[in-house]
Amino acid sequence: MTESDKIEACAHLLLRQVTDPFSSKEFAHQMQLMGIKVSQKEAKEILQSHPLAYSISETQFLSRAGFFTGALFSIKPTQFEIDNNILIMGSRSIPFMDPEALPHELTIVFDGAIVNTVVKELPTYEILKHYTLFGSEYASQIVALDPANKGVDFSSCDFELPPRVKLTCFDMEKLYKENGFVHGDRLLLQIQNWDESILEMIPLCERKPNPFVQTKAEIERAQWYEELETSFTDTFEFTGAASSIDEQLMYTFMTNMLKLSISNCGSLEEFLEESDRIGIVEFGVETRIWKKNEDIPLFQGLELNNPESCPEHIDGSVFSTLGQEFSPQVFKCMVLDEIAQGHEDFEHLFENRFKGIFEITTDISKLMRIPDDIIEQFRKIKENYNKFTDYEIAPIRHKALELYVEIVRLMWDLRIYGITTKNMPQSELIILAQLFTHLLRVMEMLENEDLPNHDIESIKLSIEGMFYSYEEIRVPIADAIEKAKKGRFNII
C-alpha cells in the first residue's frame, strides 16, 4: 500500500466514525494519532475533497456520519408487507444511512433486541417499488447482490429480474402483532450508529377517536411535507441537479435537518408518490429527483469548456494540463493494457494513446516532456504484472479503454474548439458525461486482480451496454463539433 493509499484509508475510517464538528487542525491531530503524518494544510485539502466531509463554517467541518447520527425518518409499511409480516428496507433508508451499505446489511433494533431477517420469495414488482431511490437503473443489480440470491446468475440475462425473486427482509411478525399494526400505521427509525449501520425502530400506531378531526401528529406531518418540498426547491436552486438521487436527498435534508428530523415526520416514498411538483425523472441514462414536467438543466460539472481560457493548441506537458481524464486509475489501466498487449515501453503508450486522442503532431510531440515519475510508475507496474491473474480481466479492460478513448477524444474536441454546452444537443451531452463517469468507476474496479467472476461478467455486460449508448449519441455530438469547427473558420 502506497503512502497516499494509507492516508486515504485512514481519512475514510476517521470520517466514518467522528460525529462531532472538528477543525482541520483537529483532523490532522487524529490522523497523527493513527500513525499518519499530515500537515494542517494537507488535512484541509483532504477534507475539502472527501465525499464524507462537509464544511459548516470557515474553520469547522462535519462528517456525513455527524449529520445523520440521531436523525429520524419514517416508513409506512404497505398492506402487502403487513399481510406477510415483513419489512422490505430497499432504499428507504436513503439518504440517512451509509450509501455503500446494502439493505440486508442494516441492523434494526426494536425493544432492545435485534430484529431478525427472513428470506422470502416475493413478486418482483412488490420489491422494486421500494428500491426507487437507488435509481431504477441500478435497482435490479442491488437486488441481485442480496445473499438470498447467491448462486443465481442474473448477469446472464442483463439483470432482467424474473416475476418472483428471493429477498432478505426484516421479520416483523412480533412487532406487527404486539402493536396491532394495521395499514396506515408507520415505523419511526433513528440512526444509532452510522458507521455500523444500526437503526432503532419505534412503532407509531395512532388510533383517532374522531376520524373527522386532524390529530396533532397529522398536522405536524402535513407541515413536514411542506417543509420537504421547500427544501427540495431550495436545493434545486442552490446546487442544481446533484450527481445522484442519494446526493440530492443528502443536500435536501442536511440544509433543513432541524425541521425535517422530527418524530412526526412523513416518508420520502409517500412524498414522491403524491407530490404534484417533485418526482423521480429521467436524466440521460440515469434518474434524478427534480421538478416534474421540467427538463433538468446541465449541472455545473458538465460544463466542459470555458471558451475564454480554451487553448488554441497543445503545448507544455500533456500530463500537467489534463485532469480527471487521466487519473491514477485510468493511467494504471492504460499501462496494464499496453503490457497485456505485449508492449514493453512507455513510448508506445504515448504514441498509441495520447497522440491519437489529442491529435498531437510529431513536431509537437518532440517538444513534450514526459515526467520522470510517469516513467517510473510505468516501470513499477510492469515489474509487478502477472499475466495469469490478469487473463480474464485483460480483454474486458481493453474493451473499456477502447470506449474510454473514444469518449475522451470527443470531450477534448469540445474543449479545443471552444464548444459550450448551450451549443450541444443536451440529452446526448448528458449521456456522454454519464458514460465518462461510469467508465471511471469501471477503471477503479479493473485495478483489482481479485475481482469475483460475477463482477467480471457484470462489468463486461455494462461495457457492452455503454458501447450501445455511445453509438446512439456519437453522431449528433460529432455533427455539432464539425459545425463548430466550420463556424470558427468562416470568412467574414
Side-chain angles (χ1 to χ4, degrees):
M1 183 181 285
T2 65
E3 189 63 25
S4 62
D5 289 337
K6 291 177 183 177
I7 292 173
E8 183 180 343
C10 183
H12 188 74
L13 179 63
L14 194 54
L15 288 169
R16 290 186 62 86
Q17 297 176 349
V18 64
T19 56
D20 294 325
F22 56 90
S23 66
S24 55
K25 182 178 180 180
E26 291 168 331
F27 187 77
H29 177 65
Q30 289 299 317
M31 292 276 282
Q32 287 167 5
L33 291 178
M34 298 171 73
I36 303 293
K37 291 185 178 181
V38 293
S39 67
Q40 186 177 338
K41 181 183 177 182
E42 290 170 330
K44 189 173 183 179
E45 290 173 353
I46 292 168
L47 293 170
Q48 288 174 333
S49 62
H50 201 286
L52 295 182
Y54 305 91
S55 175
I56 56 174
S57 73
E58 289 187 7
T59 59
Q60 294 283 292
F61 294 86
L62 189 61
S63 70
R64 183 164 179 169
F67 269 108
F68 288 114
T69 297
L72 299 164
F73 69 98
S74 77
I75 294 172
K76 182 180 172 183
T78 63
Q79 187 66 60
F80 177 84
E81 290 174 296
I82 295 169
D83 290 343
N84 288 274
N85 292 312
I86 59 172
L87 176 68
I88 301 170
M89 182 55 75
S91 60
R92 287 152 135 176
S93 65
I94 290 176
F96 310 99
M97 300 302 290
D98 177 6
E100 296 180 4
L102 295 169
H104 65 270
E105 294 174 331
L106 303 183
T107 298
I108 295 179
V109 177
F110 166 63
D111 200 20
I114 293 175
V115 177
N116 293 326
T117 57
V118 59
V119 173
K120 296 275 189 177
E121 185 175 84
L122 306 172
T124 299
Y125 70 88
E126 288 287 353
I127 294 172
L128 292 181
K129 66 172 69 172
H130 302 303
Y131 278 69
T132 54
L133 299 183
F134 287 122
S136 58
E137 62 274 23
Y138 302 114
S140 59
Q141 295 181 43
I142 292 170
V143 172
L145 291 172
D146 191 301
N149 296 307
K150 185 177 181 180
V152 181
D153 185 13
F154 290 112
S155 63
S156 62
C157 53
D158 201 16
F159 292 97
E160 287 289 331
L161 299 179
R164 294 180 68 85
V165 69
K166 290 182 178 179
L167 193 76
T168 301
C169 309
F170 288 96
D171 186 351
M172 304 293 286
E173 184 172 6
K174 180 176 183 288
L175 185 148
Y176 288 160
K177 287 185 176 179
E178 286 185 359
N179 292 276
F181 214 85
V182 297
H183 186 237
D185 293 338
R186 62 182 61 240
L187 302 166
L188 182 67
L189 296 109
Q190 184 174 42
I191 290 82
Q192 297 297 317
N193 188 313
W194 190 90
D195 180 40
E196 296 182 13
S197 299
I198 300 174
L199 295 153
E200 183 177 2
M201 178 184 288
I202 304 165
L204 300 178
C205 304
E206 188 177 81
R207 300 294 175 257
K208 294 177 61 172
N210 186 340
F212 301 104
V213 178
Q214 274 193 315
T215 64
K216 178 177 179 289
E218 288 175 325
I219 294 170
E220 290 184 0
R221 197 166 293 122
Q223 292 172 341
W224 185 90
Y225 285 117
E226 291 177 7
E227 287 289 348
L228 181 59
E229 186 169 271
T230 300
S231 295
F232 270 121
T233 54
D234 287 347
T235 52
F236 291 159
E237 184 70 24
F238 183 69
T239 64
S243 63
S244 66
I245 290 175
D246 169 69
E247 187 176 82
Q248 195 83 56
L249 291 172
M250 180 187 68
Y251 290 143
T252 299
F253 279 85
M254 278 183 177
T255 54
N256 202 9
M257 185 67 79
L258 289 177
K259 292 183 178 179
L260 295 177
S261 179
I262 61 173
S263 56
N264 286 319
C265 57
S267 74
L268 275 168
E269 274 191 332
E270 293 170 275
F271 174 83
L272 293 170
E273 286 173 5
E274 298 172 12
S275 175
D276 295 325
R277 297 180 58 195
I278 294 165
I280 296 177
V281 301
E282 291 185 358
F283 185 59
V285 294
E286 300 176 348
T287 51
R288 295 285 190 275
I289 292 180
W290 195 251
K291 303 167 195 173
K292 287 183 176 178
N293 305 315
E294 273 192 33
D295 290 334
I296 300 178
L298 293 174
F299 50 88
Q300 201 169 17
L302 283 181
E303 190 62 59
L304 300 177
N305 176 58
N306 177 356
E308 294 181 2
S309 62
C310 181
E312 293 296 315
H313 61 277
I314 305 168
D315 61 9
S317 171
V318 69
F319 304 101
S320 65
T321 57
L322 296 180
Q324 199 176 16
E325 290 95 328
F326 290 94
S327 64
Q329 293 84 2
V330 174
F331 178 75
K332 184 175 179 180
C333 282
M334 284 187 168
V335 172
L336 288 170
D337 185 57
E338 285 292 304
I339 296 168
Q341 298 297 316
H343 307 301
E344 293 294 321
D345 54 73
F346 183 83
E347 284 69 21
H348 188 277
L349 174 63
F350 181 73
E351 294 284 328
N352 191 36
R353 301 287 187 194
F354 302 129
K355 284 182 65 174
I357 294 173
F358 305 108
E359 299 179 359
I360 301 170
T361 66
T362 302
D363 290 339
I364 291 176
S365 69
K366 290 177 181 177
L367 301 174
M368 300 182 77
R369 182 182 64 82
I370 301 172
D372 293 338
D373 62 328
I374 295 287
I375 302 292
E376 180 63 15
Q377 285 181 50
F378 185 97
R379 185 186 64 78
K380 286 182 178 179
I381 294 171
K382 184 174 70 173
E383 283 180 359
N384 295 317
Y385 180 73
N386 186 326
K387 66 179 180 180
F388 298 106
T389 58
D390 198 43
Y391 177 76
E392 287 187 285
I393 298 175
I396 298 172
R397 184 194 301 114
H398 185 74
K399 196 72 175 174
L401 284 167
E402 280 184 9
L403 179 58
Y404 195 80
V405 167
E406 290 291 321
I407 289 173
V408 172
R409 186 180 288 125
L410 274 183
M411 293 175 71
W412 189 251
D413 280 350
L414 291 171
R415 284 193 175 96
I416 66 173
Y417 291 108
I419 303 172
T420 58
T421 55
K422 65 182 179 181
N423 299 321
M424 293 294 297
Q426 299 295 286
S427 61
E428 284 83 355
L429 185 60
I430 291 167
I431 293 171
L432 178 70
Q434 289 171 345
L435 290 174
F436 173 69
T437 302
H438 291 175
L439 277 169
L440 281 176
R441 293 175 189 154
V442 166
M443 300 296 173
E444 291 178 2
M445 294 182 72
L446 291 175
E447 275 191 294
N448 181 9
E449 296 178 347
D450 302 318
L451 271 178
N453 287 333
H454 63 85
D455 280 353
I456 293 173
E457 190 61 30
S458 176
I459 291 172
K460 183 179 178 182
L461 288 169
S462 178
I463 292 169
E464 289 174 2
M466 285 190 273
F467 260 104
Y468 179 80
S469 297
Y470 174 72
E471 285 303 315
E472 289 189 324
I473 66 168
R474 179 180 58 82
V475 173
I477 292 177
D479 287 347
I481 291 171
E482 284 302 311
K483 186 176 179 181
K485 286 180 182 178
K486 291 176 182 177
R488 289 184 65 186
F489 296 105
N490 282 342
I491 298 175
I492 300 175

